[in-house]
Amino acid sequence: MTFAHSARAAFLASAAGLIATTGFAGTALAQAAAAAPAVADKGDTAWMLTSTLLVLLMIVPGLALFYGGLVRAKNMLSMLTQVLAVACLSMLMWVVVGYSLVFTEGSPLIGGFSKAFLAGVAKDTVNSGGTIPEYVFFAFQMTFASITPALALGAFAERTRFAATLLFSLLWGVFVYYPIAHMVWQSDGYLMKLGALDFAGGTVVHINAGIAGLVGALIVGKRIGFGKDLMAPHSLTLTFTGGALLWIGWFGFNAGSALAANDVAALALVNTLLATAAAALSWMVVEWLDKGKASLLGTVSGVIAGLVAITPAAGLVGPLGGIVLGLVGGAVSFFFCTTVKNIFGYDDTADVFGVHGVAGIVGSIGTGVFVSTSLGGVGVENYDMATQVWNQVVAVVVAVVWCGVISAIIFKGIDLTIGLRPATDAEREGLDITDHGERAYNM
Amino acid sequence: MKIVMAIIKPFKLDEVRDALTSLGVHGLTVTEVRGYGRQKGHTEIYRGAEYAVSFLPKVKIEVAVASDQVEQVIGAIVGAARTGQIGDGKIFVTSLEHAVRIRTGEVDADAL
């Protein structure tokens, strides 16, 4: 008893220390935990505090560096600033209406305003499962709402005005992310009630971001000189660094989506390792056979495709099922980023659609197959593969259509008001100088 | 006086410098350049985007020498820079009308 008590206290103290150094209210948490029985499980809370920070690590610096390395040197700071500012804006939006519109009861399409500006959320309120403080649940979900519009930015990078990207993220959060997240993750949401499975955000985050990116790339238009000028990534070293940070942070994203420190989180962690390794090798080998060389960019792209493909399935399928999802996700994403993209000729700068959209669809539909207990999955009540796969397809179609149509309206609207594209000269000079007045590399 | 200008493979620069120093050449100017000749470029592939890179990195050296040294200098550069593979580079020789050493004001042969 004494040992258990002191061990837990020490664990909590170290968790609180971690939070304090990153600027969260560490002391307040320690006091609350010491006094309050409202928090049912300190272990769950500690893991969810950690997971929240891991998802933040995915955005800054992970995603920013991953995309930053893929653009030309003259647009490096533009990429970094867009990701950073869009993530920050999305966090404040989450306080204003986001959390409330997603995670309160309302209609099957959207929640209500009862928790706008964090109304009713306090130090002693807990999440619906009663295991973690509501502040932690709020913050964890906030990082998801922040990374999703930032993911889309990569598709129309190097040619979209900074102000336009901010306005995009604001409108897109309200009219696309909040409804889809509500439909999938809130108990009265349309897709939740339908029985569609999305463990950590295959539809909500990745299909959503992939489709928004594709629509943006089409409406913003191609970069000047696309298909003619050399547009090689300016630093695959940074892309590798960002990709590696994404993989690490993704354990918060996937294993954190268990919302507890338990066996489900453990399964999600194993899948997030194995499916990713499988997809990296899958992309690498397919590219090796097709193009004659195994590339770093291909292998690290496979890592991301694998992470995306396992996201909806992470806590639901067995490790072998996860490996199959990774193998398929890597190969199919490669096909879309090379063959399909070249046939249609759209300019998706960082292949947001080819990686996130496509692997997200593979993972979302594959979840319906590999959740089956006969294939090593955890199973769902009254499971029938055909029905489950159909529900997954419905969820994918709803996400694609909702996101596609509303994103198109948002991009068109921005184009007709403040404008999407910089002047031709400004785009040629690079957005670092023309949007931000600074240069990434002064050598 | 002549200017001997040679375009060589970058990794041959040190050997060429050593060969010229042993001939008594006191200085040379080096520039990193890109260009193409008979040597084909290569293809770079970034996911679906394939780029033919036809300008290859080379080093250009320029040496000012007395007219009677030109053949020796050319021989030294050829001897040091040749690999026998396509892309070894070229040597161009032009006349040099006048030279001044800035520090001392010495001119022409004394300035080299």
Side-chain angles (χ1 to χ4, degrees):
Chain A
M1 174 81 181
T2 317
F3 170 75
H5 179 77
S6 64
R8 286 189 129 194
F11 188 35
L12 184 82
S14 65
L18 178 69
I19 306 311
T21 55
T22 51
F24 281 78
T27 351
L29 174 81
Q31 285 165 0
V39 175
D41 195 305
K42 291 176 185 171
D44 287 353
T45 303
W47 169 236
M48 292 313 297
L49 289 165
T50 309
S51 290
T52 304
L53 300 187
L54 283 170
V55 184
L56 181 65
L57 180 75
M58 289 173 69
I59 312 173
V60 281
L63 180 68
L65 290 181
F66 181 73
Y67 281 171
L70 289 175
V71 300
R72 290 167 288 177
K74 63 182 179 180
N75 295 315
M76 175 56 164
L77 299 182
S78 154
M79 193 73 257
L80 299 182
T81 316
Q82 286 179 15
V83 170
L84 178 59
V86 161
C88 293
L89 183 60
S90 303
M91 288 184 195
L92 298 190
M93 288 292 298
W94 190 247
V95 178
V96 176
V97 287
Y99 179 60
S100 185
L101 286 177
V102 175
F103 288 109
T104 60
E105 301 276 310
S107 73
L109 297 183
I110 191 84
F113 289 99
S114 59
K115 289 187 178 176
F117 290 98
L118 282 175
V121 180
K123 210 157 59 106
D124 57 352
T125 57
V126 292
N127 72 325
S128 59
T131 54
I132 57 174
E134 191 170 9
Y135 274 145
V136 177
F137 180 73
F138 161 83
F140 180 68
Q141 296 296 345
M142 178 169 72
T143 57
F144 282 58
S146 297
I147 197 172
T148 309
L151 280 169
L153 295 171
F156 39 89
E158 299 201 274
R159 59 188 187 283
T160 309
R161 294 175 58 227
F162 181 57
T165 63
L166 293 179
L167 184 56
F168 155 77
S169 68
L170 201 149
L171 296 170
W172 191 84
V174 173
F175 294 106
V176 180
Y177 186 86
Y178 303 159
I180 301 266
H182 179 83
M183 282 187 239
V184 174
W185 282 335
Q186 176 64 15
S187 52
D188 66 341
Y190 166 61
L191 294 170
M192 173 68 104
K193 284 200 292 194
L194 183 72
L197 301 170
D198 186 357
F199 187 76
T203 46
V204 178
V205 174
H206 296 290
I207 295 177
N208 233 351
I211 297 296
L214 179 63
V215 170
L218 291 172
I219 293 178
V220 175
K222 298 171 190 178
R223 288 168 287 177
I224 295 170
F226 178 71
K228 204 172 66 201
D229 299 350
L230 181 71
M231 292 184 175
H234 92 277
S235 173
L236 288 183
T237 312
L238 291 177
T239 295
F240 173 84
T241 308
L245 288 167
L246 277 164
W247 192 354
I248 294 166
W250 221 294
F251 290 102
F253 200 89
N254 281 357
S257 288
L259 296 175
N262 60 10
D263 55 337
V264 181
L267 176 61
L269 179 136
V270 168
N271 277 331
T272 305
L273 286 165
L274 293 180
T276 309
L281 293 177
S282 164
W283 188 310
M284 186 192 83
V285 168
V286 174
E287 184 177 50
W288 202 345
L289 295 172
D290 187 42
K291 309 274 184 191
K293 289 195 170 73
S295 73
L296 170 75
L297 178 58
T299 313
V300 75
S301 301
V303 164
I304 307 300
L307 289 164
V308 171
I310 199 61
T311 291
L316 300 169
V317 305
L320 298 183
I323 289 173
V324 174
L325 278 181
L327 291 173
V328 175
V332 176
S333 282
F334 167 80
F335 177 67
F336 270 82
C337 291
T338 53
T339 310
V340 175
K341 181 179 169 181
N342 288 341
I343 289 172
F344 289 98
Y346 55 88
D347 182 11
D348 179 349
T349 310
D351 287 310
V352 180
F353 173 69
V355 175
H356 294 271
V358 170
I361 291 170
V362 167
S364 291
I365 293 172
T367 301
V369 176
F370 289 101
V371 73
S372 166
T373 47
S374 62
L375 294 172
V378 302
V380 287
E381 267 184 74
N382 303 320
Y383 178 75
D384 167 59
M385 191 176 289
T387 311
Q388 190 60 49
V389 168
W390 174 248
N391 288 343
Q392 299 302 108
V393 170
V394 170
V396 168
V397 171
V398 167
V400 168
V401 173
W402 184 289
C403 175
V405 171
I406 297 181
S407 299
I409 294 169
I410 290 172
F411 279 111
K412 275 290 175 196
I414 294 173
D415 200 23
L416 295 172
T417 50
I418 65 168
L420 285 166
R421 294 279 295 231
T424 306
D425 286 351
E427 186 180 331
R428 286 220 170 88
E429 187 171 3
L431 303 182
D432 289 6
I433 293 292
T434 57
D435 260 348
H436 306 288
E438 50 191 347
R439 205 185 287 280
Y441 306 102
N442 291 298
M443 294 186 287
Chain B
M1 296 175 297
K2 302 284 183 188
I3 287 272
V4 178
M5 183 175 84
I7 313 290
I8 62 170
K9 289 185 167 170
F11 72 94
K12 282 291 189 181
L13 179 60
D14 282 338
E15 287 176 55
V16 169
R17 179 187 186 278
D18 291 345
L20 291 175
T21 308
S22 66
L23 280 182
V25 170
H26 298 302
L28 63 91
T29 306
V30 179
T31 320
E32 290 179 3
V33 294
R34 295 191 307 151
Y36 74 95
R38 289 189 191 172
Q39 186 185 12
K40 295 267 192 303
H42 60 265
T43 304
E44 294 180 14
I45 305 176
Y46 301 97
R47 291 184 183 146
E50 299 191 16
Y51 302 107
V53 178
S54 44
F55 296 104
L56 296 168
K58 297 285 172 185
V59 163
K60 179 172 82 175
I61 60 172
E62 287 159 303
V63 202
V65 294
S67 299
D68 59 1
Q69 260 198 310
V70 168
E71 289 310 317
Q72 275 181 293
V73 165
I74 290 172
I77 295 172
V78 169
R82 175 183 282 159
T83 67
Q85 302 295 311
I86 203 162
D88 274 352
K90 288 201 172 63
I91 298 174
F92 307 109
V93 181
T94 57
S95 295
L96 173 58
E97 288 180 9
H98 193 43
V100 179
R101 186 189 304 275
I102 292 173
R103 176 171 58 87
T104 60
E106 292 165 285
V107 297
D108 295 343
D110 293 333
L112 298 182

